[in-house]
Amino acid sequence: MTASISRRNLLKGAAFSAAGVAALGMAGCAPQAEGSKGSDDLAETGEGAGKHTWEVKPEPIAADQISQTVDTEVLIIGGGYSGTCCALSAAENGAKVVLVEKDAVLNGHGVGGTGAIASRALDELGLKFDKSLEMERWVSTCGNRCRESLVGKWFRESERCMNWFLDMAETNGAQCMVTVGSNSTVHPEIACYHFMSGGPIFEEHTMADFVEYMFEAEALKAGAEFVYEMPAVQLVQDESGRVTGAICQSKDGSYVQYNASKGVVLATGDISYNDEYINEFAPVATRVFTRLCSDQGNVGDGHNMAAWAGGAFQEGPWPTMMHPQAAATFHGPFLFVNPDGKRFMNEATWVQGKCLGVMYNGGADHAWSIFDARWQTDLLGSLEHGGGMFWDTFRPYGSDYQAAVDGHTKTVENGLAEVPDYYKRADTLEELAEMIEVDPAELKATVERYNALCKAGEDTDFYKEKHFLFPIEEGPFTACMVAPGLLAVTGGIHISDNFEVLNADDEPIPGLYAIGNCAGDIYAVDYPINIQGNSHGRCLVQGKCLGEQLAGVYQEI
């Protein structure tokens, strides 16, 4: 699985091949329209004046407005990774389950890979990782403000849940490919990204949503019910405050009340398309080039309902998952210049660092990666010391570095032909400067300074490691636009280690749970990537464990 892929063939599962995922950056994720389906203003009139949407509980929907009542044991709101996983886990362990989804389809993001700290697939490759070290990296990336007991539960449960997932994938004709990590000294990424592909369900869907449809297929066999175009609008609480169900609105506008005797699970995704939430909890996201890979229906429905039921949010700022592939999807460790033609950061860093560096140190929503005719040789040399997401590629663990170079060569050449706004090439630096709309004299001075540092073997401006110092001397010269894209806001509802929604006093809201990207506390401040794919890994662990818990079979490790 080392051939390249193009933007045209990327979405269908049958067309996928791993080394070329960098041809797009994030499969199944085209840049979405800017703007928000949620309000970015405080209420101006009435009792809610000056308050946020989540602070103003709406009037209850009257009983005479409800056209139908459905009884179940577990009600799951949201058909993404965590919700579909939870539905399967609860149903296969004997619980009566209904999942309601507001869209007409299930929603999957990214390239569908899932991170795990251990698994039988890793065992087969002889890969074993130090949990103590990787958890410390996770926690420190989060500014030591995530809840360590919740992270620790993920580390304990990850292997068990991944092996369950591997068995299911193989039963459905899929195979697992573990992809390479990064050799970076400062920002290493372990080789733990489990990508599943193949089989009839994969062929019928995209790699972005294949996992969700596989979970659904298995859950339906176990007796779960999935209801589409049925958005939840209000939770139902009894006199004690216990959540006993939810009221949903069908496509014809009528209301359906689902009563859930064992629990209601919020799995509604993040708040990427609600500016009111972003401005309050993740203002860094206002600086990105575009919003990527986030369902435009992710507007905080679950967050609102949790707050209206008495739940609290984790303290801000909420962490953002960002990748710098919103324009060109390759740039490597080479010289970055901002729109003024100036260098502004150490370019050989991790994906989040590149995004933040472009926006804050570069002072814009994009920059340009500049390299010369020897870039393939330079890139090959760099991978011995660095790499990681989109600097290397999603290539199989154990494959040669040259596979990454070949994949990125196709990416750049295809980009020059197909997406010329983001990829530029010229015989001279002066011509290249004109193409990227920077002052030629400024770019020339920047390159001369950079080349001098490369020749000296020490970057006294930003102290990039010397093995990443590649001069820019021989034409033709290429520029690839580096543009931060928002994938998700990975913070939200305050939860217990058992995924119960908590109030401001850390007391559970009985009957109410939250998992996946609408749930908070497992991350904070920034999103760790030392364990590649850990957001999906979090959805897997939380979904499976909570499903077992609600079915009454969970045993704490």
Side-chain angles (χ1 to χ4, degrees):
M1 301 181 69
T2 56
S4 186
I5 50 179
S6 72
R7 289 175 180 265
R8 294 192 190 97
N9 67 20
L10 187 57
L11 294 181
K12 293 304 292 182
F16 176 73
S17 56
V21 172
L24 178 62
M26 296 305 292
C29 306
Q32 304 287 355
E34 294 299 333
S36 168
K37 294 185 180 180
S39 170
D40 60 359
D41 299 316
L42 299 179
E44 296 179 357
T45 60
E47 294 183 6
K51 295 183 178 181
H52 287 290
T53 301
W54 54 88
E55 297 176 304
V56 184
K57 185 174 182 177
E59 290 295 320
I61 294 169
D64 60 7
Q65 293 180 275
I66 297 170
S67 63
Q68 183 183 2
T69 299
V70 178
D71 293 327
T72 188
E73 292 180 327
V74 177
L75 175 66
I76 297 169
I77 303 173
Y81 196 129
S82 65
T84 55
C85 180
C86 186
L88 168 58
S89 178
E92 73 174 5
N93 284 292
K96 184 178 181 182
V97 179
V98 174
L99 182 148
V100 293
E101 165 57 46
K102 73 177 183 180
D103 291 336
V105 295
L106 299 177
N107 291 297
H109 300 144
V111 296
T114 302
I117 193 63
S119 72
R120 59 177 176 81
L122 297 178
D123 290 343
E124 291 167 4
L125 294 170
L127 291 169
K128 186 175 180 61
F129 305 110
D130 186 333
K131 293 180 182 179
S132 299
L133 178 61
E134 297 310 329
M135 180 162 165
E136 177 59 25
R137 286 172 173 157
W138 179 317
V139 171
S140 61
T141 301
C142 296
N144 288 82
R145 288 173 58 190
C146 56
R147 191 164 68 254
E148 294 194 34
S149 57
L150 191 58
V151 181
K153 183 168 186 172
W154 184 87
F155 275 83
R156 291 192 300 275
E157 292 284 6
S158 175
E159 180 175 12
R160 180 180 74 92
C161 294
M162 176 53 72
N163 286 339
W164 170 78
F165 184 27
L166 287 168
D167 290 344
M168 181 194 325
E170 291 177 3
T171 299
N172 282 275
Q175 296 179 327
C176 175
M177 179 186 70
V178 176
T179 63
V180 296
S182 168
N183 298 318
S184 170
T185 302
V186 181
H187 298 292
E189 299 168 19
I190 62 174
C192 66
Y193 193 77
H194 298 68
F195 180 82
M196 312 295 181
S197 63
I201 298 176
F202 183 83
E203 298 295 337
E204 293 173 4
H205 297 281
T206 73
M207 55 182 152
D209 62 11
F210 152 66
V211 171
E212 289 74 15
Y213 280 102
M214 181 175 66
F215 286 150
E216 180 193 42
E218 293 295 319
L220 293 175
K221 293 177 188 176
E225 180 183 359
F226 281 54
V227 185
Y228 291 91
E229 298 181 285
M230 185 65 75
V233 293
Q234 283 186 10
L235 297 176
V236 179
Q237 292 176 274
D238 63 18
E239 292 180 356
S240 71
R242 180 180 183 83
V243 173
T244 60
I247 298 174
C248 302
Q249 190 168 27
S250 64
K251 191 162 65 170
D252 65 9
S254 63
Y255 291 110
V256 180
Q257 180 169 321
Y258 290 88
N259 298 321
S261 60
K262 293 187 175 180
V264 174
V265 179
L266 299 172
T268 52
D270 78 327
I271 47 86
S272 286
Y273 280 89
N274 188 315
D275 287 342
E276 184 182 8
Y277 271 103
I278 283 178
N279 291 338
E280 182 70 13
F281 293 108
V284 64
T286 64
R287 295 174 176 261
V288 298
F289 184 79
T290 192
R291 307 181 200 200
L292 277 174
C293 200
S294 229
D295 180 356
Q296 293 191 44
N298 284 9
V299 294
D301 299 324
H303 298 68
N304 287 341
M305 287 185 283
W308 296 335
F313 296 149
Q314 75 174 101
E315 184 178 311
W318 293 352
T320 51
M321 185 194 304
M322 296 180 291
H323 287 345
Q325 278 74 34
T329 57
F330 171 74
H331 18 79
F334 303 112
L335 169 69
F336 286 5
V337 299
N338 67 10
D340 294 326
K342 298 180 182 294
R343 187 179 182 220
F344 56 90
M345 69 178 290
N346 174 350
E347 303 89 349
T349 187
W350 64 314
V351 287
Q352 299 276 106
K354 287 182 179 180
C355 292
L356 294 166
V358 166
M359 296 187 296
Y360 284 91
N361 292 302
D365 65 358
H366 72 281
W368 292 93
S369 173
I370 311 291
F371 44 86
D372 74 0
R374 297 168 297 189
W375 73 272
Q376 290 107 324
T377 300
D378 295 338
L379 174 63
L380 184 64
S382 78
L383 293 174
E384 181 181 349
H385 307 285
M389 296 185 72
F390 308 109
W391 169 353
D392 201 313
T393 63
F394 287 93
R395 60 185 173 86
Y397 178 80
S399 61
D400 191 85
Y401 294 134
Q402 187 63 43
V405 177
D406 294 343
H408 285 313
T409 298
K410 293 179 181 179
T411 294
V412 172
E413 296 305 318
N414 289 341
L416 289 165
E418 299 178 9
V419 200
D421 287 346
Y422 300 152
Y423 298 81
K424 309 288 185 181
R425 179 171 289 166
D427 291 329
T428 68
L429 285 172
E430 291 78 8
E431 292 173 312
L432 189 67
E434 295 290 343
M435 295 173 74
I436 64 175
E437 299 180 346
V438 305
D439 179 64
E442 192 68 60
L443 179 62
K444 183 178 179 181
T446 296
V447 170
E448 288 176 351
R449 168 65 181 171
Y450 186 69
N451 286 347
L453 296 173
C454 294
K455 184 176 181 180
E458 183 180 12
D459 177 10
T460 54
D461 289 345
F462 298 101
Y463 291 90
K464 182 162 68 175
E465 295 165 277
K466 64 181 181 181
H467 42 248
F468 298 135
L469 293 173
F470 303 111
I472 301 168
E473 299 173 324
E474 181 182 334
F477 304 96
T478 305
C480 296
M481 184 185 285
V482 187
L486 176 68
L487 279 79
V489 178
T490 58
I493 302 166
H494 186 35
I495 61 170
S496 73
D497 292 355
N498 292 321
F499 321 118
E500 303 155 300
V501 173
L502 302 177
N503 64 20
D505 295 321
D506 295 330
E507 300 167 336
I509 306 297
L512 186 61
Y513 304 84
I515 55 176
N517 275 346
C518 73
D521 297 318
I522 198 169
Y523 306 116
V525 183
D526 209 347
Y527 171 71
I529 200 64
N530 57 300
I531 299 173
Q532 294 181 340
N534 67 74
S535 179
H536 278 170
R538 177 266 294 264
C539 292
L540 173 66
V541 167
Q542 292 185 344
K544 178 167 173 55
C545 291
L546 180 56
E548 293 169 338
Q549 181 180 317
L550 292 172
V553 301
Y554 179 69
Q555 295 182 347
E556 187 79 46
I557 294 178

